């Protein structure tokens, strides 16, 4: 019964958060069971572009290391802040949310080439946290019961804690930089004099992922109108 309750609760989570979290957990489980090797997942430009192992463009965002405190720490932040974004500023805009993932992922891969970074899931987490924190500047965050501060400080606290866990701060910095670029292009620049939206979600994503908008000029047939049908 407990498992059924957990499954029911998980199925109520928004689609993007549910899909990404499940993919991360299943990938880590496959590595733990030795069904996959991290060497099959990491980002390697030579193997991607010369050997056409294109799956590495995705799998490098799904593996957060072996099961342990660091993995659960990252999953907690992925699940929480991905869900807060999807249920908050991206509510009803699934296509825009997926496009943010795509934009951030492509930019991280391009910038990651400069730093020889092989796994970028932690950077993606930092990006999600950064975008949420900038869109929720007045929210006060309790960081594991140790510190309480305004939301915009959260990405930096996360980077410091990640450093204490022995992780490279380059990955977190990359996520913060990409998150700031997205936030500037999406939230700041369009509101400047002469500014406009530069990040336009492709139409095919909206057709696939968003519910069709109702036509304001549509007049329903009599049998479709509420109330008793007039004969």
């Amino acid at each position: 019964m407990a498992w059924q309750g957990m499954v029911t609760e998980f199925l109520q989570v928004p689609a993007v958060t549910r899909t990404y979290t499940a993919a991360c957990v299943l990938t880590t489980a496959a590595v733990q069971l030795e069904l996959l090797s991290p060497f099959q997942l990491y980002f390697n430009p030579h193997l991607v572009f010369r050997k056409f192992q294109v799956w590495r463009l995705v799998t490098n965002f799904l593996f957060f290391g072996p099961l342990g405190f660091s993995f659960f720490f990252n999953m907690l932040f992925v699940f929480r802040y991905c869900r807060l974004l999807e249920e908050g500023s991206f509510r009803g805009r699934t296509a825009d949310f997926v496009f943010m993932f795509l934009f951030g992922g492509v930019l991280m891969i391009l910038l990651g080439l400069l730093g020889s970074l092989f796994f970028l899931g932690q950077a993606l987490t930092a990006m999600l946290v950064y975008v949420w924190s900038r869109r929720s500047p007045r929210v006060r965050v309790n960081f594991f019961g140790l510190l309480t501060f305004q939301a915009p400080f959260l990405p930096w606290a996360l980077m410091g804690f990640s450093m204490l866990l022995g992780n490279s701060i380059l990955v977190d910095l990359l996520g913060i930089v990409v998150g700031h670029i997205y936030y500037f292009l999406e939230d700041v620049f369009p509101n400047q004099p002469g500014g406009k939206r530069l990040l336009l979600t492709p139409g095919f994503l909206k057709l696939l992922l968003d519910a069709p908008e109702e036509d304001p000029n549509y007049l329903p047939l009599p049998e479709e109108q509420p109330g008793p049908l007039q004969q």
Side-chain angles (χ1 to χ4, degrees):
M1 296 296 293
W3 280 106
Q4 292 178 345
M6 291 176 62
V7 170
T8 302
E9 182 70 21
F10 187 69
L11 291 177
Q12 294 176 353
V13 174
V16 178
T17 302
R18 184 172 68 241
T19 301
Y20 183 58
T21 304
C24 293
V25 171
L26 291 174
T27 300
T28 301
V31 172
Q32 288 295 121
L33 296 172
E34 298 184 353
L35 300 175
L36 292 174
S37 166
F39 293 105
Q40 297 173 291
L41 306 175
Y42 78 100
F43 176 63
N44 183 314
H46 174 77
L47 295 177
V48 171
F49 300 111
R50 297 291 182 86
K51 302 294 184 180
F52 304 108
Q53 297 182 8
V54 292
W55 65 83
R56 294 177 184 271
L57 295 172
V58 176
T59 56
N60 81 91
F61 290 100
L62 303 180
F63 184 64
F64 287 81
L67 285 177
F69 179 78
S70 180
F71 169 77
F72 290 108
F73 174 79
N74 280 293
M75 284 297 97
L76 173 66
F77 275 81
V78 165
F79 184 80
R80 176 172 174 75
Y81 291 98
C82 190
R83 184 175 186 177
L84 284 173
L85 279 174
E86 192 169 3
E87 292 181 339
S89 59
F90 286 99
R91 177 182 291 273
R93 299 167 52 217
T94 301
D96 292 338
F97 195 38
V98 169
F99 183 65
M100 186 190 80
F101 269 74
L102 294 175
F103 171 82
V106 170
L107 197 54
M108 285 175 197
I109 286 174
L110 293 176
L111 295 176
L113 290 172
L114 303 177
S116 299
L117 301 176
F118 304 119
F119 289 102
L120 296 172
Q122 191 175 320
L124 186 60
T125 303
M127 183 191 78
L128 294 171
V129 172
Y130 184 88
V131 173
W132 174 83
S133 70
R134 294 304 300 265
R135 290 182 171 179
S136 311
R138 297 183 180 180
V139 175
R140 293 189 63 80
V141 177
N142 187 299
F143 193 70
F144 291 107
L146 301 174
L147 298 169
T148 301
F149 43 74
Q150 298 296 113
F153 292 101
L154 180 59
W156 306 103
L158 178 62
M159 184 179 71
F161 193 75
S162 180
M163 185 171 60
L164 291 177
L165 294 177
N167 299 321
S168 171
I169 64 170
L170 286 177
V171 180
D172 292 278
L173 279 175
L174 175 61
I176 290 173
V177 168
V178 173
H180 183 73
I181 292 172
Y182 177 84
Y183 171 75
F184 178 81
L185 294 177
E186 184 71 7
D187 293 29
V188 178
F189 182 68
N191 297 315
Q192 302 299 311
K196 62 178 181 178
R197 286 194 66 191
L198 298 178
L199 300 180
L200 300 177
T201 303
F204 76 90
L205 281 180
K206 290 184 174 292
L207 287 174
L208 286 173
L209 302 173
D210 288 348
E213 297 182 2
E214 294 185 2
D215 184 355
N217 299 317
Y218 173 72
L219 294 176
L221 298 173
E223 59 268 23
E224 294 177 339
Q225 296 178 4
L229 181 62
Q230 301 294 324
Q231 299 291 341

